[in-house]
Amino acid sequence: MVDPLSLLERTDKYYLGSGTGLLFAPRFPCWLEWPGFWDEVDVYNYQLAPLFTVAFLELASGKAGPSLPLRQRERLWSPAELVCQYDLGRNIRAHEHRSVVPGGWYLSEWLLENPGEEDLELAAVAWSAQETEELDLSSVQAGAGTVSWQRRLIDRCGEHLEVEVSLEAPDEPIAGSALLSERAALQPRWEFSPFPEKWRSGFGHPIQLSGISSSGLLYAAAASRLTVRAGGTGRVTLQARVVPLDLDDPTATGVRAEGVYGHAPPPPRREFPRPALMDDPGEASRRAWRAAFDKAPGLACSDPFIERYWYYRWYGLRLCGHEGGIGNYLYPGCCEGTGYFHAPITYSAQCHARELRWLHDPDRARGVILNFLAHQKESGQPHGRICVNYLERTDFYFADWGEAVLAVEAVHPDLEFLQAVYKPLVQYAEWLDRERDADETGLVDVVNHSETGQEFMSRYMAVSSEADSEDWGNLIRLKGIDATVYAYRLQRSLAVVAGRLHEFGEAARWIAAADRTAEAI
């Protein structure tokens, strides 16, 4: 039997997630050699940075001493975790297991080895620094081993999402603190923070937000006591949680395709438990990932590279997955990528539905399609992307929706699913005829070089020298064979679906439409 986690291990990767829409996938990381998650994390199509890093302080008479120097020696990645080895002061060998688990939890779990002859008393600290411009200082709270705040995230389109962030040191909590400070370099260096001074005489000052310019930085820290016995080991977990706010009502942004709702109601939002404190660092994430791989089919063949890629692809599909019942994501589905692309996008959704149909549970494959049809525009045109809390400036892409539906249906037959998608797909086919073939040639118009997923391709220069302008407007009109083939396959698929639903007059209508399109091609 193949263990996908071992099969995919390597030293040059670092993306972490759990299939819920929140992940750690910085595209240009600067701080991988530092503990925790100082580079940005993805919260659906928004980014948050920094989240937190980790420091270890010597304890003496309940007071915090200097931080121990920490130097990373090596990293090993698998889909479940990023395992980092460090040299820590006092000759301690430290092992960090970074993971992201469902519920918006970002874990930094540690095992420390003390080869010395004396017990060591340490404070393990999760700490962060936050820009105050988008921070709600009135939301800041602190307690023993915990500190939290609310802030606004702004995406590339200027839209915003409110989130609550909390840091926790749950093992043996001793401190939680939030201190407003004048601005300094936004780096994960403990000596840049105000805590070395403030905690020198004890773990007081839980919250101090006055007397400093509100345009500075908010430093937040949660600390836990840790004893590492001589010749023994010590374990500690430090973690952060990111919770998007105002996404509880899945109909808040408006849903128009009642037919989709009527035949395929969205599932309730899943509630995930707090991560348990495990004796084995990283175990919670490894269990979850192995369970996910178990739900996908295996592959054995003569080429080990193909075998490895097979499991890597299933890793990517789960990494970019999202749950249903959250904002505009009514159904579980899949995002296209990371960063700005961490949202469902039609040009890749047609592929995701085909791939995800091989899971034992068809909900995610169906959800990829249903999310777009449930938010279809009044005109019948689907959105090009679905952002978690808005539907403006969402582009448009041609996609092979018809064959994607039939592919899912072939593996998981379900008449209710076909009933849910039939009317919205008819409206899309009629939009293509009405808006993209007004001259009734049987061929489909492409009016923007981005909507075929082939930006800046030379084919568009045949009709306009401005076709590849960065203006991204509707600058061209070109009969697209690829777009027309998608329309043809949609018409053929609608004929099949209509027949399955015993709508034989409709089936004949779509057979005739497909024959006409084929002749035009």
Side-chain angles (χ1 to χ4, degrees):
M1 297 297 293
V2 172
D3 176 17
L5 299 185
S6 300
L7 182 69
L8 297 178
E9 283 182 345
R10 50 192 299 150
T11 60
D12 59 345
K13 291 189 178 293
Y14 48 87
Y15 285 6
L16 300 170
S18 57
T20 59
L22 281 73
L23 65 155
F24 175 69
R27 287 168 289 173
F28 303 101
C30 297
W31 304 105
L32 291 178
E33 294 186 357
W34 292 75
F37 304 88
W38 199 264
D39 290 299
E40 74 269 15
V41 301
D42 286 351
V43 185
Y44 305 106
N45 52 287
Y46 294 86
Q47 283 71 54
L48 165 63
L51 189 51
F52 76 97
T53 188
V54 173
F56 290 95
L57 318 177
E58 295 191 63
L59 285 180
S61 302
K63 299 177 182 179
S67 64
L68 297 178
L70 192 67
R71 183 176 68 86
Q72 188 180 109
R73 293 187 298 109
E74 59 186 54
R75 293 191 299 268
L76 181 63
W77 172 90
S78 80
E81 59 189 335
L82 184 64
V83 182
C84 305
Q85 312 291 344
Y86 300 89
D87 289 329
L88 192 57
R90 295 297 193 98
N91 294 319
I92 296 174
R93 185 66 58 85
H95 312 264
E96 180 196 22
H97 294 248
R98 302 182 208 175
S99 62
V100 179
V101 298
W105 293 97
Y106 293 78
L107 306 185
S108 176
E109 300 174 274
W110 291 79
L111 178 67
L112 275 59
E113 301 174 3
N114 179 11
E117 298 179 354
E118 296 181 359
D119 295 349
L120 294 177
E121 293 291 329
L122 303 176
V125 186
W127 69 276
S128 183
Q130 299 290 310
E131 301 273 5
T132 57
E133 283 85 350
E134 303 299 331
L135 198 65
D136 179 4
L137 290 176
S138 67
S139 70
V140 177
Q141 300 183 46
T146 181
V147 60
S148 64
W149 62 91
Q150 293 180 13
R151 65 169 291 177
R152 172 180 294 186
L153 308 182
I154 301 176
D155 75 354
R156 189 166 120 175
C157 292
E159 298 291 338
H160 65 269
L161 175 69
E162 302 289 336
V163 298
E164 181 177 76
V165 183
S166 59
L167 299 183
E168 295 187 5
D171 291 276
E172 191 177 339
I174 55 175
S177 181
L179 307 175
L180 192 61
S181 170
E182 296 292 352
R183 182 169 298 278
L186 194 60
Q187 296 182 7
R189 301 180 186 275
W190 179 253
E191 62 271 22
F192 288 179
S193 79
F195 295 111
E197 175 189 351
K198 294 293 187 180
W199 284 1
R200 188 179 303 154
S201 57
F203 294 100
H205 310 284
I207 298 179
Q208 183 176 318
L209 304 177
S210 60
I212 301 292
S213 169
S214 60
S215 63
L217 295 175
L218 179 76
Y219 286 88
S224 179
R225 186 186 307 275
L226 171 63
T227 301
V228 188
R229 300 297 181 188
T233 61
R235 270 211 69 259
V236 68
T237 295
L238 301 163
Q239 59 197 31
R241 190 185 190 195
V242 181
V243 179
L245 304 176
D246 302 325
L247 294 180
D248 290 330
D249 181 4
T251 63
T253 55
V255 177
R256 65 160 299 274
E258 295 82 3
V260 173
Y261 248 6
H263 295 292
R269 181 172 179 171
R270 291 182 63 186
E271 296 297 332
F272 298 100
R274 291 176 58 85
L277 297 177
M278 310 291 287
D279 291 333
D280 188 3
E283 179 62 21
S285 183
R286 290 193 295 272
R287 286 182 183 179
W289 272 97
R290 287 194 171 108
F293 279 119
D294 286 344
K295 295 176 182 177
L299 173 70
C301 72
S302 60
D303 190 330
F305 295 99
I306 293 178
E307 288 184 339
R308 184 175 294 109
Y309 181 71
W310 172 265
Y311 291 102
Y312 188 77
R313 182 56 184 156
W314 285 110
Y315 147 73
L317 288 167
R318 183 170 190 258
L319 177 80
C320 290
H322 65 76
E323 291 296 319
I326 300 175
N328 288 328
Y329 301 158
L330 307 177
Y331 304 86
C334 193
C335 301
E336 181 166 288
T338 65
Y340 179 65
F341 296 96
H342 197 51
I345 297 175
T346 53
Y347 198 60
S348 54
Q350 59 184 346
C351 309
H352 293 155
R354 291 172 174 272
E355 296 171 297
L356 292 167
R357 64 181 171 147
W358 299 112
L359 294 174
H360 295 315
D361 186 340
D363 285 352
R364 198 166 290 270
R366 291 173 181 162
V368 165
I369 298 169
L370 293 173
N371 275 322
F372 281 96
L373 298 185
H375 292 296
Q376 191 174 19
K377 297 179 182 180
E378 291 287 346
S379 65
Q381 180 187 20
H383 291 277
R385 69 180 67 227
I386 302 176
C387 298
V388 70
N389 65 337
Y390 67 92
L391 290 170
E392 293 81 26
R393 300 177 301 281
T394 53
D395 310 318
F396 168 73
Y397 298 98
F398 291 103
D400 190 4
W401 287 119
E403 287 293 327
V405 165
L406 294 186
V408 175
E409 171 69 7
V411 180
H412 301 284
D414 188 330
L415 284 179
E416 287 194 355
F417 173 65
L418 295 183
Q419 288 174 325
V421 303
Y422 180 70
K423 182 179 176 182
L425 289 180
V426 166
Q427 293 172 330
Y428 175 44
E430 291 173 343
W431 177 83
L432 287 173
D433 280 344
R434 183 177 66 253
E435 302 295 334
R436 293 304 180 92
D437 188 26
D439 48 2
E440 299 183 350
T441 65
L443 301 173
V444 173
D445 292 344
V446 176
V447 300
N448 186 311
H449 67 120
S450 69
E451 60 188 20
T452 62
Q454 301 161 10
E455 294 90 335
F456 305 108
M457 190 176 180
S458 59
R459 64 187 275 200
Y460 308 113
M461 302 299 288
V463 298
S464 172
S465 61
E466 301 296 322
D468 61 351
S469 167
E470 293 186 8
D471 189 16
W472 299 97
N474 296 343
L475 303 176
I476 60 174
R477 180 166 178 254
L478 170 75
K479 293 294 185 180
I481 296 299
D482 49 350
T484 307
V485 169
Y486 287 158
Y488 167 80
R489 289 159 73 94
L490 175 60
Q491 293 160 347
R492 285 284 184 220
S493 299
L494 286 172
V496 172
V497 174
R500 290 284 306 279
L501 298 177
H502 294 172
E503 299 286 348
F504 299 114
E506 284 285 289
R509 168 196 175 190
W510 293 113
I511 289 172
D515 288 345
R516 174 175 172 271
T517 304
E519 183 177 357
I521 292 174

